[in-house]
Amino acid sequence: MFEDFHASFMEMVPFRDIAAFTVFQVIFLVVTIGIIWIPRAGVLFPLSIFVLVLIRQYVMPRYFQAEYLWELDAAK
């Protein structure tokens, strides 16, 4: 029944890269929520989103192949 319904990246991207990408996402989530919970740092929330964009553009391509990132972040 579910054989026909799955994410396309599961066939194209090795599990190790999927797990590493998920770890990066969880770390980014924790840092972003941490910034919100610090009372004086909460005003820096928009800056944290900007930094996440820069990390995605310049840091993550160093750790993942371009076609894997294309599949993992659904940039299609």
Side-chain angles (χ1 to χ4, degrees), residues 1 3 6 8 16 18-19 24-25 27 35 46 54 56 65 67 70:
M1 177 176 173
E3 291 84 16
H6 64 282
S8 64
R16 179 179 178 199
I18 294 171
F24 269 106
Q25 288 181 319
I27 290 170
I35 288 174
L54 293 177
R56 168 57 187 90
Q65 294 180 19
E67 58 270 6
W70 185 261

Side-chain angles (χ1 to χ4, degrees), residues 7-71:
S8 64
F9 66 85
M10 294 300 289
E11 293 178 2
M12 300 183 70
V13 181
F15 180 76
R16 179 179 178 199
D17 289 333
I18 294 171
F21 188 80
T22 303
V23 168
F24 269 106
Q25 288 181 319
V26 169
I27 290 170
F28 297 155
L29 176 68
V30 168
V31 168
T32 303
I33 290 175
I35 288 174
I36 293 172
W37 282 15
I38 299 171
R40 294 183 188 242
V43 296
L44 297 176
F45 176 72
L47 182 62
S48 69
I49 299 300
F50 178 70
V51 170
L52 290 177
V53 170
L54 293 177
I55 289 171
R56 168 57 187 90
Q57 290 295 316
Y58 299 108
V59 176
M60 298 213 34
R62 294 183 182 185
Y63 295 102
F64 300 98
Q65 294 180 19
E67 58 270 6
Y68 292 168
L69 276 177
W70 185 261
E71 287 292 325

